[in-house]
């Protein structure tokens, strides 16, 4: 979902960076087959003055720059709450029109909350036939307690067969 959002934004001519902030189960670098460094971890532990566009990986398919995360951070929440992370976000804001943060699942761990608090817009992705109504209600309660309001919710991984009549050509209509 993050990569699709980034691709859509890049198609409009915006400069976009996808920052993987799931430090427990990162997947974007392996999915796109981009080198794992520089990573979010390395840029927050050893900052650089080099322009970020010069050191980040540009994905030709999406048109976005990619900042992967390395798994195995000792304390992901502390890294994401750190002053170094805030400084990196400021640098990203100065160099890119749009930053897409790919976060960990909200109900699994609270690592996403510091990033959500610093975000202008929040897209809550809910997986078709996997996310229960109770889980979604729990998620919304957790966000309310943290004083975070999603901008919108998208239903992901919808099967064409199950959606049937809702498909119009190549686009899903809900």
């Amino acid at each position: 979902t993050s990569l699709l959002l980034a691709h859509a934004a890049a198609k409009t001519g915006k400069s976009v960076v996808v920052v993987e902030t799931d430090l427990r189960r990162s997947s974007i670098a392996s999915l796109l087959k981009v080198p794992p460094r520089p990573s979010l971890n390395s840029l927050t532990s050893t900052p650089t003055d080099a322009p970020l566009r010069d050191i980040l990986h540009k994905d030709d398919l999406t048109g976005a720059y990619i900042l992967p995360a390395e798994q195995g951070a000792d304390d992901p929440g502390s890294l994401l709450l750190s002053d170094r992370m805030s400084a990196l976000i400021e640098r990203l804001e100065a160099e890119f029109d749009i930053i897409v943060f790919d976060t960990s699942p909200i109900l699994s761990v609270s690592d996403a909350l510091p990033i959500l608090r610093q975000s202008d817009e929040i897209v809550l992705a809910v997986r078709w036939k996997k996310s229960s109504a109770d889980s979604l209600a729990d998620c919304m309660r957790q966000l309310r307690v943290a004083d975070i309001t999603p901008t919108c919710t998208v239903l992901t991984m919808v099967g064409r067969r199950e959606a049937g009549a809702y498909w119009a050509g190549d686009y899903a209509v809900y």
Side-chain angles (χ1 to χ4, degrees):
T1 303
S2 297
L3 293 172
L4 290 172
L5 288 170
H7 178 69
K11 292 287 264 179
T12 68
K14 300 286 185 185
S15 60
V16 182
V17 61
V18 176
V19 180
E20 186 169 30
T21 62
D22 187 345
L23 300 168
R24 297 173 195 270
R25 296 190 68 192
S26 58
S27 60
I28 289 179
S30 61
L31 177 70
L32 296 177
K33 297 180 179 24
V34 299
R37 287 192 167 242
S39 68
L40 176 66
N41 314 55
S42 65
L43 289 178
T44 53
S45 64
T46 310
T48 176
D49 290 334
L52 293 173
R53 289 179 198 229
D54 291 348
I55 61 172
L56 297 182
H57 311 287
K58 183 155 187 195
D59 177 53
D60 293 331
L61 185 61
T62 62
Y65 288 83
I66 307 297
L67 179 54
E70 295 176 65
Q71 293 183 38
D74 291 335
D75 187 357
S78 289
L79 187 148
L80 297 173
L81 276 168
S82 71
D83 291 339
R84 292 180 307 226
M85 182 66 186
S86 295
L88 178 59
I89 291 172
E90 286 178 20
R91 285 194 62 206
L92 291 166
E93 289 174 334
E95 291 193 39
F96 294 94
D97 297 321
I98 297 174
I99 305 168
V100 176
F101 293 108
D102 186 75
T103 67
S104 58
I106 294 170
L107 286 179
S108 300
V109 292
S110 61
D111 298 350
L113 296 178
I115 297 303
L116 298 179
R117 284 191 184 97
Q118 295 185 65
S119 300
D120 296 327
E121 306 291 336
I122 298 167
V123 177
L124 181 63
V126 178
R127 189 169 175 185
W128 168 269
K129 289 196 171 188
K130 292 285 184 183
S131 302
S132 70
D134 289 342
S135 293
L136 183 56
D138 289 345
C139 176
M140 294 305 293
R141 262 191 298 282
Q142 185 175 345
L143 291 173
R144 258 192 312 278
V145 166
D147 198 27
I148 296 170
T149 304
T151 305
C152 67
T153 302
V154 296
L155 195 57
T156 67
M157 302 185 78
V158 177
R160 278 189 176 204
R161 196 167 302 162
E162 292 97 342
Y166 291 100
W167 286 92
D170 290 331
Y171 301 94
V173 179
Y174 296 98

